[in-house]
Amino acid sequence: MTAFKQKNFTSKSGQKYVFQHPGVRMVSKINDNVKNKHGVPMEERLAEELLKHIIVNPKMKIDDFIDYQEYKEVINAAYAFISGQDDDDNQEAGDGNDNQQERSEG
């Protein structure tokens, strides 16, 4: 029996969530399932998959969120957790996650 890593996450509003990593194969399946026919990830599909497989407490659906900012923050944090992009529990306001990469051409 394999125990998967969990993470407690508290949103800026103070709501507490528990994320659970479902394993590498399931993360791969989630990444495949959320793309449209052009290979572009779709927000609604991603949120549904994360709410179903990753956000284990409280169990929620998209429609349970009242505030879009809360929804977006939780979904982004859950995806960062499963993809290894979270910076553990050190999320500062204005955390600099602009996802820009520098390119050097030479």
Side-chain angles (χ1 to χ4, degrees):
M1 182 174 164
T2 304
F4 292 116
K5 182 171 103 171
Q6 288 193 336
K7 176 181 180 172
N8 294 315
F9 175 76
T10 303
S11 68
K12 291 177 184 168
S13 73
Q15 175 68 41
K16 295 183 184 309
Y17 300 88
V18 177
F19 302 158
Q20 180 170 299
H21 198 289
V24 174
R25 179 180 297 273
M26 181 56 82
V27 172
S28 185
K29 284 182 178 183
I30 289 170
N31 279 321
D32 288 345
N33 290 341
V34 304
K35 294 176 183 165
N36 68 14
K37 66 182 180 180
H38 304 291
V40 178
M42 298 183 63
E43 178 182 329
E44 183 180 12
R45 285 188 197 165
L46 177 62
E48 287 173 344
E49 291 286 324
L50 294 174
L51 289 163
K52 182 176 180 182
H53 299 289
I54 311 306
I55 303 166
V56 296
N57 190 24
K59 287 309 284 178
M60 299 178 74
K61 297 190 181 308
I62 294 172
D63 294 329
D64 294 330
F65 286 92
I66 297 168
D67 181 63
Y68 182 75
Q69 288 300 102
E70 175 83 2
Y71 157 81
K72 190 170 111 178
E73 178 186 2
V74 172
I75 296 305
N76 287 342
Y79 189 75
F81 170 68
I82 63 166
S83 61
Q85 298 172 13
D86 68 344
D87 46 2
D88 292 312
D89 293 322
N90 298 328
Q91 291 187 331
E92 304 276 331
D95 57 7
N97 276 345
D98 59 3
N99 292 329
Q100 296 197 10
Q101 298 176 354
E102 293 183 26
R103 293 173 62 191
S104 63
E105 299 183 20

